[in-house]
Amino acid sequence: MPSYELSLVLRQLPRPDLISVIKRTSEAIFNKGGIIRKLENLGARPLPHKVSEHGVVHKEGTYFSIFFDSAPTKIMDLKEEFGRDIDIIRRNIYKVEESAEYKCTLHDEMLPPAYRKDVQEIIDIAKRKHKPKYNYNSGLDYYPFQK
């Protein structure tokens, strides 16, 4: 199952109601066959602009981020279900890409530029593209007339 991140903006609620909204959201993920990996509370803060959702204008919200695994066919169902919840102001689900493994090249990068492999490749490319200077028995190393 692919990994997803659900970013939520909830309306300002007292703590018990906030917990019930998070429980409803997590139960919806569980009911669709998902597995929650991590839940982050990013805190309450003012919204960047006034947001009108479900007929109410909101100026402040509580931000949450939920990382979960789920089948791709269930994502649209989750978006629809979260859209009907009146306590959720904004909801976005993003697919989390697997990060590639990087090999440490510090030893190579500490070498002087002339000895680095990537710099030598650039020099070779530049030598291949080198054009000969103009020399049609004129004694000039450029073409005096425009082409």
Side-chain angles (χ1 to χ4, degrees), residues 29-95:
I29 293 171
F30 288 139
N31 291 339
K32 301 292 183 193
I35 301 168
I36 294 178
R37 299 288 178 195
K38 183 165 68 168
L39 174 73
E40 289 183 28
N41 181 0
L42 303 175
R45 59 180 88 153
L47 298 174
H49 51 82
K50 289 191 261 184
V51 177
S52 177
E53 189 74 21
H54 302 291
V56 180
V57 176
H58 302 279
K59 295 180 182 178
E60 290 187 0
T62 306
Y63 290 76
F64 278 92
S65 184
I66 300 174
F67 294 88
F68 67 98
D69 296 344
S70 179
T73 56
K74 303 294 183 182
I75 297 301
M76 291 306 293
D77 297 337
L78 287 171
K79 283 183 181 180
E80 181 183 337
E81 188 169 338
F82 297 149
R84 288 192 304 261
D85 194 338
I86 61 171
D87 293 327
I88 298 176
I89 299 173
R90 289 282 185 251
R91 67 250 155 238
N92 290 315
I93 299 177
Y94 304 103
K95 185 173 183 178

